[in-house]
Amino acid sequence: MVDHLSKSFGPVRAVDELSFRVEPGRVTGFLGPNGAGKTTTLRMLLGLVRPTSGTATVGGHHYAELRNPQRMVGAALEAASFHPGRTARDHLRVYAPQAGVPDTRCDEVLELVGLADVAGRRTGGFSLGMRQRLGLATTLLADPRVLVLDEPANGLDPEGIAWLRRFLRHLAGEGRTVLVSSHVLSEVQQTVDDVVIIARGRLVHASPLAGLARLTSTSVRVASPDRAGLDRVVVENGWGDRLLTVAPQDGPATGSLLLRDLDAATVGAAAHRAGLELHELATQQVGLEDVFLRLTGEQPVATTEVGAA
């Protein structure tokens, strides 16, 4: 749980009064653009950075207070470093005593992350994606109940990303708490149950993924050389409250309208009944990525045209 957490580095406010909860049995996406304060927040959660104010706790306790922290929390905050001459199995053997587990556990987690076939290979020849998997295996050594993963999909190819999605869902299905940071919503939207979105160190949105999806919308752009007739169609069908934007007119009698929560078929049928000539009829979608960019202030919402007539 993060409660009114803040961190300043000199005059820079990296995290600002941030509060959110992460629930067990669910995958939570911790999202925001690069520099939003995600990694600083995770480092405070793990006791690596002292907060300026507020608290960050795991199971109601500060990380330093946990009796067996590795059995409680498995974390991978940045790309792990590996001795290039050491095999994947031997890398894990170095960490096994710290985690309080036998060497046999090393082979178990290598199997879990799909590296069993390369357990005897030196890590110096590993791809970035294989290194990401080995880093994840390291976090799983002590079988923790909470996983904190910073940008775990970096370096993974599409097949690796699909595997990671299935694996994180599996871990959450076992009742674990999974917190995954990313600066790209599309990277995690098929994985997460909940989203926490920050920008400039502040919370801008927190909800189940379905709550974010409700901010998406479908609209219809319609244009006619008879602008007055187009306005009459809007009024006669009671669509006045659906009018989003009046686009600049191309000429004295030409203009287009943008109507929310309608589809092209409905608008086209109304225009046909009114005998109105149309020069444009297109459905436009404001998707999840557009909403994410708007919430984080990265850019204005852009509509994606999905059909035109």
Side-chain angles (χ1 to χ4, degrees):
M1 177 177 178
V2 172
D3 186 22
H4 292 91
L5 190 67
S6 296
K7 179 61 183 180
S8 296
F9 296 99
V12 178
R13 191 79 155 176
V15 178
D16 192 1
E17 288 290 317
L18 183 61
S19 297
F20 64 89
R21 295 180 62 91
V22 181
E23 301 295 338
R26 300 176 72 82
V27 180
T28 298
F30 187 37
L31 308 171
N34 288 326
K38 301 186 302 296
T39 299
T40 299
T41 299
L42 298 182
R43 290 177 69 84
M44 286 190 283
L45 178 65
L46 297 170
L48 301 174
V49 172
R50 185 188 299 274
T52 301
S53 61
T55 59
T57 56
V58 179
H61 301 281
H62 292 97
Y63 186 84
E65 299 170 347
L66 297 174
R67 180 168 297 179
N68 295 301
Q70 287 182 304
R71 291 192 176 276
M72 185 67 179
V73 184
L77 292 194
E78 51 194 31
S81 58
F82 306 99
H83 190 293
R86 195 174 280 156
T87 67
R89 182 183 291 111
D90 285 343
H91 168 79
L92 294 177
R93 282 175 171 170
V94 171
Y95 291 92
Q98 302 173 33
V101 298
D103 284 354
T104 54
R105 176 63 178 167
C106 299
D107 289 313
E108 290 176 6
V109 293
L110 286 171
E111 181 72 35
L112 280 174
V113 301
L115 292 179
D117 291 343
V118 295
R121 279 181 53 184
R122 289 184 173 88
T123 61
F126 277 16
S127 66
L128 181 55
M130 292 168 71
R131 288 170 176 263
Q132 287 286 72
R133 292 192 186 214
L134 185 55
L136 182 55
T138 308
T139 69
L140 292 169
L141 273 173
D143 199 22
R145 302 309 302 165
V146 177
L147 285 172
V148 179
L149 308 175
D150 194 11
E151 306 275 2
N154 279 353
L156 295 181
D157 58 19
E159 181 182 354
I161 291 174
W163 168 83
L164 180 65
R165 288 170 177 161
R166 294 191 299 270
F167 189 59
L168 295 181
R169 296 298 329 156
H170 168 74
L171 294 173
E174 294 180 332
R176 302 176 202 260
T177 303
V178 182
L179 179 62
V180 183
S181 80
S182 178
H183 65 282
V184 182
L185 173 62
S186 59
E187 198 173 69
V188 299
Q189 71 183 68
Q190 296 181 47
T191 307
V192 302
D193 302 294
D194 304 311
V195 290
V196 174
I197 302 175
I198 67 172
R200 295 171 294 280
R202 293 188 173 187
L203 181 72
V204 295
H205 182 86
S207 76
L209 183 63
L212 186 67
R214 282 195 288 271
L215 299 180
T216 64
S217 63
T218 300
S219 58
V220 174
R221 178 176 290 277
V222 55
S224 171
D226 182 358
R227 175 55 186 273
L230 187 57
D231 288 338
R232 284 195 300 273
V233 169
V234 171
V235 172
E236 290 170 1
N237 287 274
W239 294 338
D241 61 343
R242 298 175 184 262
L243 186 62
L244 287 177
T245 304
V246 179
Q249 293 188 2
D250 300 323
T254 303
S256 63
L257 303 179
L258 191 63
L259 299 164
R260 66 174 175 84
D261 298 330
L262 288 171
D263 56 65
T266 299
V267 176
H272 178 73
R273 289 193 299 271
L276 186 67
E277 178 184 347
L278 297 182
H279 286 184
E280 181 182 11
L281 182 63
T283 300
Q284 297 179 322
Q285 180 72 39
V286 176
L288 278 175
E289 197 69 31
D290 299 313
V291 172
F292 173 68
L293 293 173
R294 181 185 67 190
L295 288 170
T296 58
E298 289 289 276
Q299 65 182 51
V301 172
T303 54
T304 301
E305 189 171 294
V306 295

